Amino acid sequence: MNRRELLKALGATTAGIALLPQLNAMGYFAPAELSKSAFGDDFLWGVATAAYQIEGGHNADGKGPSVWDTFSHGKKNIKTGENGDVSCDFYHSYAQDIDFIRQMNMQVFRFSTAWSRILPQGTGAVNQKGLDFYNKVIDTCLEKGLQPWLTTYHWDIPQALQDKGGWTNRDVLSWYNEYVEVITKAYGDRVKNWMVMNEPLAFTAIGYLLGIHAPGKTGFKNFIPAAHHTTLCQAEGGRIIRRNVKDANIGTTFSCSSIEPFKGKDVHAKTVERWDAMVNRLFIEPALGMGYPMESLPAIKKVEKYMQPGDEEKMKFDFDFIGVQNYTREIARANFIIPYMKGLQVPAKRRHVETTEMGWEVYPEGIYKVLKKFAAYPNVKKIYVTENGCAFPDVVENGRVHDAKRVQFFKDYLAQVLRAKNEGVNVQGYFVWTLMDNFEWAEGYKTRFGLVHVDFKTQQRIMKDSGLWFKEFLAD
Ligand code: IFM
């Protein structure tokens, strides 16, 4: 039964009328027809990528190794045994790939710079050819009428710095500052939209706590200092951009998920609070001057060991915008055996809900909830959805990819973004994860998120039906 039929059936009964507020909360009154104009003329549309996931050219023109070069070559670190040495070969095919963005009638290309392409040893000598590569990317965007949006860090710290402890070493503050000084001075004349970090929780928790991502470290002894130094760099990066880039629009991005109690039961409320503090609050609240959410997540008190006088102040930065990145929701269940978190996330597959190939629940209302949640912080001025997307198994048939599930995913999630916007959330743009299929970290190339299909043997590209859908949707 579709939305209209359901409302018609329910509207005729007293019980149905009583249900109307609940249906409203569930998004049943979100506009059925999506249109570009419903989002407004100033709303920005784009795609997001990350250097290691698309570039390849892993040792081209003087690039130094990053943690991901090392990690992906380690035995059994990547489920498929693959690595990002060549990936989509964006290093050589950037002009053709950027053209796809234009063809889809989008305005924004969000990408990251690879620190070790620019500073092969992390600090010291600058690799001019590495700098030039991003000059070409930026100039190509501008020639094609696209806005380049630059993320300074998307998980690929130079291996030379990891050898000295990487994000766990407080010296990372000066290493990172040197890198941001270089890129802001090199690109600030043309790049006006900057994001400091990509999903700080993801790279510190998956890389330094769980050991599933580079650099493969585990335990709170690694995670806590890595998280604290990232928080400091998040703010300092903002200050350097402000100083060096005239008229910059400065943000940073967060992986955000609505955390909900298992079977809606109150007994899991404390667990929900702890997971919410970890997933949604840990990195934004110090930037907003609220400190770490220690009351909700006592395990974070361990950070005090790494705090130096003045750090509370140094963690703050007045961002122009916040990048919200959402894919799914999490269901939390109390379990007192689990150290620190005292609870677990209940995997979607055990809940028998619709999932993507990543095993993540398809839950469009989740993006509405996180937009409302982040917009409720008094100092959050504006929001962009800097990532949203899905992996489904794609099949090439007669030169086409009919990815109907992905198209539906975007329609449903966009309806919820519009619902939040219509309720007053200052959301000003939406960037799809991602332009083209690429190296999905520990999953390898199997999970495809792109609007453009990539044949990794031939490097042939095909715009999927989802890419064609955006082209049509965004056409003037
Ligand atoms: O591929 C990643 C990206 O690097 C960061 N956000 C989530 C995406 C999908 O897993």
Side-chain angles (χ1 to χ4, degrees):
M1 186 182 278
N2 67 28
R3 185 193 316 267
R4 196 164 298 147
E5 289 162 348
L6 177 70
L7 287 176
K8 205 170 156 200
L10 289 173
T13 65
T14 320
I17 288 164
L19 264 176
L20 292 181
Q22 208 179 324
L23 288 170
N24 187 27
M26 287 163 65
Y28 268 91
F29 299 118
E33 297 299 328
L34 276 180
S35 68
K36 180 189 173 194
S37 60
F39 288 84
D41 289 343
D42 297 333
F43 196 84
L44 288 176
W45 299 89
V47 289
T49 60
Y52 187 74
Q53 292 181 272
I54 61 169
E55 285 179 2
H58 71 112
N59 58 3
D61 297 330
K63 177 181 171 291
S66 77
V67 277
W68 271 97
D69 290 306
T70 309
F71 188 77
S72 64
H73 280 265
K75 260 200 182 154
K76 296 197 178 151
N77 286 341
I78 310 301
K79 285 185 191 163
T80 55
E82 295 162 317
N83 58 59
D85 286 4
V86 178
S87 188
C88 311
D89 200 25
F90 180 81
Y91 190 69
H92 298 105
S93 63
Y94 64 90
Q96 164 205 316
D97 293 331
I98 292 171
D99 197 57
F100 278 113
I101 310 171
R102 193 58 274 170
Q103 287 176 38
M104 290 187 284
N105 291 314
M106 293 179 171
Q107 302 121 295
V108 170
F109 179 39
R110 175 180 172 225
F111 63 94
S112 70
T113 43
W115 185 341
S116 66
R117 204 179 277 295
I118 293 168
L119 289 149
Q121 294 304 309
T123 61
V126 172
N127 177 27
Q128 189 57 45
K129 287 190 174 160
L131 266 188
D132 287 347
F133 169 63
Y134 298 107
N135 273 322
K136 290 186 278 188
V137 168
I138 292 163
D139 290 343
T140 305
C141 285
L142 297 173
E143 279 157 24
K144 291 183 190 293
L146 296 169
Q147 296 179 17
W149 283 51
L150 194 156
T151 311
T152 75
Y153 187 73
H154 199 129
W155 307 359
D156 48 356
I157 191 168
Q159 183 60 42
L161 302 181
Q162 185 54 44
D163 294 342
K164 297 178 192 162
W167 287 98
T168 64
N169 184 340
R170 195 171 168 111
D171 288 348
V172 74
L173 271 65
S174 66
W175 304 333
Y176 175 75
N177 290 0
E178 183 180 333
Y179 161 60
V180 181
E181 285 286 349
V182 172
I183 56 175
T184 46
K185 286 180 181 152
Y187 308 131
D189 57 337
R190 287 152 296 152
V191 177
K192 296 298 171 190
N193 296 284
W194 291 75
M195 286 140 294
V196 180
M197 293 285 163
N198 186 75
E199 297 180 355
L201 180 76
F203 78 84
T204 54
I206 314 179
Y208 285 86
L209 176 63
L210 302 175
I212 297 168
H213 278 189
K217 304 286 177 204
T218 53
F220 266 62
K221 66 178 186 304
N222 286 307
F223 169 63
I224 297 285
H228 182 51
H229 301 146
T230 302
T231 303
L232 289 165
C233 286
Q234 174 178 266
E236 191 57 22
R239 282 187 281 274
I240 298 172
I241 300 167
R242 185 75 80 219
R243 200 164 57 234
N244 291 346
V245 182
K246 194 167 170 274
D247 302 327
N249 183 34
I250 307 171
T252 195
T253 79
F254 302 104
S255 42
C256 321
S257 287
S258 166
I259 317 283
E260 296 170 26
F262 186 54
K263 295 191 171 163
K265 290 190 180 157
D266 286 350
V267 65
H268 307 296
K270 276 276 162 205
T271 310
V272 168
E273 187 182 334
R274 274 189 292 275
W275 276 101
D276 181 51
M278 179 71 136
V279 172
N280 294 315
R281 300 171 52 198
L282 186 59
F283 289 91
I284 189 172
E285 294 193 358
L288 297 175
M290 300 163 72
Y292 288 113
M294 293 187 194
E295 277 183 17
S296 300
L297 188 61
I300 290 301
K301 287 211 175 98
K302 289 179 189 295
V303 76
E304 282 164 357
K305 183 173 160 197
Y306 302 93
M307 302 258 310
Q308 293 188 4
D311 276 7
E312 286 282 353
E313 204 50 39
K314 286 189 193 148
M315 298 191 301
K316 294 185 202 164
F317 182 71
D318 186 19
F319 284 104
D320 298 317
F321 72 89
I322 293 304
V324 161
Q325 316 204 147
N326 172 258
Y327 291 85
T328 186
R329 73 166 159 180
E330 304 297 347
I331 300 294
R333 177 182 197 165
N335 182 327
F336 288 92
I337 298 168
I338 307 297
Y340 306 122
M341 299 310 288
K342 306 272 178 240
L344 288 166
Q345 293 185 3
V346 185
K349 82 168 179 260
R350 261 201 257 146
R351 292 185 274 119
H352 308 292
V353 290
E354 187 192 355
T355 60
T356 67
E357 211 183 0
M358 296 292 283
W360 299 341
E361 179 182 1
V362 176
Y363 184 67
E365 202 184 355
I367 200 163
Y368 165 83
K369 290 182 180 172
V370 295
L371 284 169
K372 294 284 272 195
K373 180 179 173 74
F374 278 72
Y377 283 114
N379 296 334
V380 168
K381 298 173 196 150
K382 60 182 172 184
I383 297 179
Y384 294 88
V385 175
T386 40
E387 282 186 23
N388 173 235
C390 53
F392 288 113
D394 293 321
V395 184
V396 180
E397 285 170 306
N398 303 321
R400 292 283 302 271
V401 177
H402 300 300
D403 55 339
K405 279 193 176 180
R406 190 174 287 105
V407 173
Q408 194 57 49
F409 179 99
F410 286 123
K411 286 183 182 169
D412 294 343
Y413 273 70
L414 281 171
Q416 295 292 333
V417 174
L418 185 56
R419 177 181 168 207
K421 189 173 180 348
N422 287 342
E423 289 179 19
V425 172
N426 190 13
V427 51
Q428 300 203 350
Y430 175 92
F431 310 157
V432 173
W433 184 267
T434 179
L435 168 58
M436 56 191 163
D437 299 335
N438 59 43
F439 183 74
E440 178 53 29
W441 309 113
E443 307 295 316
Y445 295 98
K446 187 166 174 279
T447 41
R448 293 172 176 269
F449 280 82
L451 296 176
V452 174
H453 182 274
V454 178
D455 179 328
F456 292 101
K457 288 202 184 92
T458 62
Q459 290 297 342
Q460 209 201 336
R461 274 71 162 142
I462 299 171
M463 197 185 287
K464 301 180 191 176
D465 282 3
S466 53
L468 295 167
W469 181 80
F470 270 104
K471 179 182 173 144
E472 178 77 24
F473 180 72
L474 298 177
D476 270 332

